[in-house]
Amino acid sequence: MTASIGFRPTPDDERILHEAARPGETTSDTLRRALRLLDHERWLEQFRSDAEGLKGENVNAEPEAW
């Protein structure tokens, strides 16, 4: 799947991109890294939610599945 994404950064976006960029990193690299971090944060949020829901579960009380 290919997508063409347009992005017109605001002055505040420009500031954030400039501050977040690592040496030698392009704006695209910085945005890719930020998207991966966002994806990871969403994964962690789901993980924490699932863990909270299973907090009282006692797997030792369940019969062996195999």
Side-chain angles (χ1 to χ4, degrees):
M1 177 173 93
T2 58
S4 178
I5 299 173
F7 179 68
R8 292 188 181 95
T10 65
D12 197 40
D13 296 335
E14 290 278 357
R15 178 191 58 79
I16 293 168
L17 285 168
H18 178 71
E19 291 175 2
R22 294 177 177 163
E25 191 173 57
T26 66
T27 301
S28 293
D29 294 336
T30 304
L31 289 170
R32 282 186 192 99
R33 187 167 45 86
L35 287 170
R36 287 184 184 98
L37 285 170
L38 177 60
D39 185 52
H40 184 69
E41 284 297 318
R42 290 178 60 197
W43 182 89
L44 285 173
E45 186 178 302
Q46 184 63 51
F47 170 81
R48 288 182 186 111
S49 175
D50 292 347
E52 185 65 31
L54 298 171
K55 187 165 49 173
E57 183 179 45
N58 181 358
V59 295
N60 293 323
E62 296 178 13
E64 294 290 333
W66 45 286

